[in-house]
Amino acid sequence: MNRPLRTAIVVSLALPLVACGHGGRDRPSPDLAASKVTTIGVNSYLWRASLDTLSFMPLLQTDSNGGVIVTDWYVNPSAPNERMKVTVTILDQDLRADGLRVAALRQVNQGGQWVASPVAAATVQKLEDIILTRARDLRRAAIAN
C-alpha cells in the first residue's frame, strides 16, 4: 500500500477519536439537583433528610454506602416510661417514595423492666412522610441555587 493512501486511512480512522476528546464543550452540564445520587451509595437527599429528621435521637450506626441509619433508644422527656428506636433504610439511588423504609421499635417501662410494645403503623408512616417531604425540600432548594 502506498504511503499517501495509508496516511489517509489512518487519519480517517483517527478523526472520530480526536473529536471525542474535544467534546467536553458540547456536553450538557450536570444537574447538581438531580434526583439521582452523586457521591454516596444512596440518594443524597433522602440521606440528608433522614439525618435531619432523626437529629433529636442518638445515632447508633450510620452507613451512607449501604443507606442504613440506626438510632439508639430515645426517651421522650414528656413520656419517660416509653422509649423508641428507629432504623431507616434507603433502598434506591433515586428520590422516590418507595426508595425509603422506616422501622421502629417501642418499649414501655413496666415495673422497672423495658417490655416490647407495638408501634402504631401511623407513626412509621408519619416518619416516612416527614423524611420524604424534607428530601423534596432539599432538592427544591438545590435547584433554586
Side-chain angles (χ1 to χ4, degrees):
M1 188 181 298
N2 66 21
R3 186 174 174 91
L5 181 59
R6 187 176 22 201
T7 303
I9 291 172
V10 169
V11 168
S12 68
L13 292 174
L15 277 177
L17 296 176
V18 172
C20 288
H22 297 290
R25 291 183 297 265
D26 298 331
R27 293 183 189 170
S29 61
D31 179 7
L32 296 178
S35 66
K36 214 158 181 74
V37 70
T38 52
T39 58
I40 60 176
V42 294
N43 184 274
S44 58
Y45 300 116
L46 286 174
W47 180 257
R48 182 77 247 159
S50 298
L51 289 174
D52 289 353
T53 302
L54 299 175
S55 64
F56 68 96
M57 300 179 83
L59 297 180
L60 192 61
Q61 175 189 356
T62 58
D63 176 9
S64 62
N65 287 323
V68 177
I69 300 170
V70 180
T71 70
D72 204 354
W73 290 104
Y74 169 76
V75 177
N76 185 340
S78 64
N81 289 329
E82 178 180 315
R83 65 183 186 174
M84 296 279 296
K85 185 175 190 170
V86 176
T87 301
V88 174
T89 308
I90 300 168
L91 306 166
D92 203 336
Q93 291 184 345
D94 290 326
L95 176 51
R96 301 172 6 166
D98 63 352
L100 176 73
R101 183 177 0 150
V102 175
L105 297 173
R106 178 176 173 253
Q107 291 182 340
V108 292
N109 193 335
Q110 294 178 347
Q113 296 284 345
W114 289 105
V115 178
S117 181
V119 177
T123 302
V124 172
Q125 185 63 48
K126 182 69 174 167
L127 268 174
E128 286 180 358
D129 290 345
I130 291 168
I131 292 169
L132 289 167
T133 300
R134 176 73 179 135
R136 287 185 205 107
D137 290 346
L138 289 171
R139 183 170 187 265
R140 245 183 254 115
I143 290 171
N145 291 334

